[in-house]
Amino acid sequence: VVMTPFLTKVLAGTLVPVNAGAMLWSTAQIVLFPVLAGALANSTFPKTTAKVSKVTPVYAVLMVAFVCASVVARNVDTILSNGANLLLPLLFLHGGGFFLGYVLARATGGPEAVARTTSIEVGMQNSTLGCVLAMLHFSSQPATAAPAAISACIHSVMGSTLAGLWRASDKAAAPPTPSQ
């Protein structure tokens, strides 16, 4: 809310006006309220929440895909003409997040599982939130959501690949189980 307008002024030479109150309210509606509702549901109805939680990851992935697909479809020309300029910085952004999340967790004494979780959490920053906020608060400039949509696609592929590689390495390192 403060840094984005400042950074666009410094780096791009243009001041982007932001309605800070509206953006904070949107963020609370998109992030804070659902988390609080989920925590309340989990503490009040733990058995029901456990059953529902089996399908919520698939639902979340589908919603991210729909949001990103919507933004990409509306900005296909912008993305095709500027995609190469976005690709390398986004690869470095997310790759650096995965790497630093893992390395810093291990350097501070975290076990392997914590380092992997931290890596995934840091590397997969919530680009979908950026898409939604850009669509809501910069609707007159639809292309503003395009970098976040591409970012969400990139971190989803990178994070899924990393998780798959770690799972495969765990299986390869695991002692064979006796067959019955």
Side-chain angles (χ1 to χ4, degrees):
V1 174
V2 174
M3 288 306 294
T4 299
F6 172 74
L7 289 173
T8 55
K9 176 65 176 166
V10 171
L11 298 174
T14 303
L15 182 61
V16 177
V18 175
N19 183 335
M23 192 171 285
L24 288 172
W25 177 244
S26 295
T27 303
Q29 290 174 306
I30 295 167
V31 178
L32 182 61
F33 297 156
V35 168
L36 292 175
L40 179 64
N42 194 36
S43 64
T44 308
F45 310 106
K47 290 180 183 176
T48 304
T49 305
K51 289 177 185 175
V52 171
S53 69
K54 293 176 183 174
V55 296
T56 53
V58 173
Y59 175 77
V61 168
L62 288 172
M63 291 304 102
V64 168
F66 288 145
V67 168
C68 292
S70 168
V71 171
V72 169
R74 282 188 274 165
N75 294 288
V76 70
D77 292 334
T78 301
I79 291 169
L80 288 175
S81 64
N82 295 299
N85 294 333
L86 290 172
L87 190 59
L88 193 59
L90 291 173
L91 287 171
F92 278 118
L93 170 72
H94 294 296
F98 288 119
F99 176 76
L100 289 173
Y102 182 86
V103 168
L104 292 175
R106 292 298 284 174
T108 57
E112 183 69 16
V114 169
R116 289 179 180 187
T117 301
T118 303
S119 171
I120 296 293
E121 289 297 325
V122 174
M124 294 188 67
Q125 295 300 311
N126 198 343
S127 303
T128 308
L129 176 62
C131 281
V132 173
L133 291 176
M135 289 187 302
L136 287 172
H137 298 283
F138 300 99
S139 58
S140 64
Q141 302 165 327
T144 58
I150 300 302
S151 178
C153 296
I154 288 172
H155 76 61
S156 295
V157 170
M158 291 176 76
S160 297
T161 301
L162 184 57
L165 290 172
W166 276 332
R167 178 176 284 172
S169 73
D170 287 348
K171 285 182 181 177
T177 58
S179 57
Q180 297 180 355

